[in-house]
Amino acid sequence: MALVPYEETAGMGLQKFHKPLATFSFANHTIQIRQDWRHLGVAAVVWDAAIVLSTYLEMGAVELRGCSAVELGAGTGLVGIVAALLGAHVTITDRKVALEFLKSNVQANLPPHIQPKAVVKELTWGQNLGSFSPGEFDLILGADIIYLEETFTDLLQTLEHLCSNHSVILLACRIRYERDNNFLVMLERQFTVSKVHYDPEKDVHIYKAQKRNQSEDL
C-alpha cells in the first residue's frame, strides 16, 4: 500500500525488480506484469508473496468460482488477476497514485470475457471505507502488505470492515522483523488465525484468518 523505498535482503537483491516485465503462468494463461520500480517503488514490482499466494489459489485451496474477492494493496495486481482467471469476481485495490498502473496490468492480462469480473478501485486503509459495504467480500487477499508498522491499525480496521462472519482472509508474507509477528498478534485479537501454507524456497507463509466472534452481527 505504501510507496516507500524497500530494503530487500535476499541474495539477488533488487535486480529482478528493475526488469520492465515479469512473466508468469497461472490458470492456463501467460501473465505479463509490467513493473515500474523507478516511479512507483514497492507498488510496481511483483513480490515473492504474490507469487506464492497466486500458486496457492491455483492449487484450489479455496473455492473461487462465483466468489466475491478483494485484493488489498494490490500493487501490480498479480493475485487479483489470477483470482479472476480462476473464476472469482475481484475488486483489486490500492492507493490512488498506483491505480492507473494497476489498471493497465489488469486490462492487459484478462481476456475480454473475464474483464467484467475484475474492478480496480481506490482503497486507502482506514480512510475511504464508506465506499465499501460492510462484510462485502467472501475472500480478502493480501500479499506482503504487513511490513509497515504505522499501517497496522488502519489495516486491521479495514479487514474488520470488509469481513462478514463467513469471510476468509488469506495473507501471504515473509516474516522479516519482529513487527511482522506483532501484526499477527494484533490480528489474533479479532480473528482466528492459522498458518495454512509455507513455501520454504521463497520463505513465504500464508495465514488464514476469520472473525473470532462468529455471533457478531454486521
Side-chain angles (χ1 to χ4, degrees):
M1 182 186 81
L3 308 180
V4 295
Y6 193 87
E7 182 182 349
E8 175 61 60
T9 56
M12 69 181 299
L14 296 171
Q15 184 180 0
K16 64 181 179 179
F17 299 139
H18 292 280
K19 293 180 179 178
L21 278 179
T23 303
F24 306 94
S25 179
F26 287 109
N28 298 316
H29 286 77
T30 297
I31 301 171
Q32 287 196 312
I33 298 292
R34 202 160 58 84
Q35 301 190 118
D36 191 358
W37 172 272
R38 182 180 300 274
H39 292 103
L40 286 174
V42 299
V45 296
V46 178
W47 298 98
D48 283 345
I51 300 169
V52 173
L53 185 52
S54 296
T55 302
Y56 185 72
L57 294 179
E58 189 176 46
M59 288 163 51
V62 292
E63 178 55 57
L64 290 171
R65 295 203 171 276
C67 166
S68 172
V70 60
E71 184 184 3
L72 304 181
T76 63
L78 175 64
V79 173
I81 290 167
V82 171
L85 290 171
L86 291 170
H89 294 266
V90 190
T91 302
I92 306 175
T93 70
D94 211 315
R95 294 169 62 195
K96 187 175 183 178
V97 68
L99 288 190
E100 285 306 312
F101 179 80
L102 173 57
K103 196 174 296 184
S104 70
N105 269 324
V106 172
Q107 292 175 346
N109 286 288
L110 291 181
H113 69 284
I114 294 180
Q115 287 201 18
K117 292 184 175 182
V119 175
V120 174
K121 189 171 178 178
E122 179 185 356
L123 174 55
T124 301
W125 302 339
Q127 293 188 27
N128 60 318
L129 296 178
S131 59
F132 296 83
S133 300
E136 183 173 345
F137 298 101
D138 304 315
L139 180 65
I140 293 90
L141 302 167
D144 232 344
I145 62 173
I146 64 169
Y147 57 88
L148 281 177
E149 201 162 13
E150 58 265 34
T151 67
F152 287 177
T153 300
D154 289 337
L155 175 55
L156 283 170
Q157 181 188 354
T158 301
L159 292 172
E160 175 74 26
H161 180 83
L162 297 177
C163 281
S164 69
N165 289 336
H166 72 269
S167 302
V168 171
I169 301 167
L170 291 177
L171 298 176
C173 61
R174 181 178 292 155
I175 303 297
R176 298 177 175 88
Y177 307 105
E178 184 59 32
R179 64 174 180 256
D180 301 335
N181 283 315
N182 291 343
F183 176 82
L184 295 173
V185 171
M186 294 169 66
L187 187 67
E188 286 179 339
R189 291 176 190 148
Q190 296 171 252
F191 298 88
T192 301
V193 181
S194 59
K195 184 164 73 173
V196 293
H197 184 71
Y198 177 65
D199 184 319
E201 181 184 344
K202 296 186 183 299
D203 189 25
V204 170
H205 306 260
I206 297 180
Y207 295 92
K208 175 183 176 181
Q210 290 181 280
K211 280 202 171 183
R212 181 174 290 280
N213 183 358
Q214 293 298 311
S215 64
E216 183 177 350
D217 182 11
L218 288 178

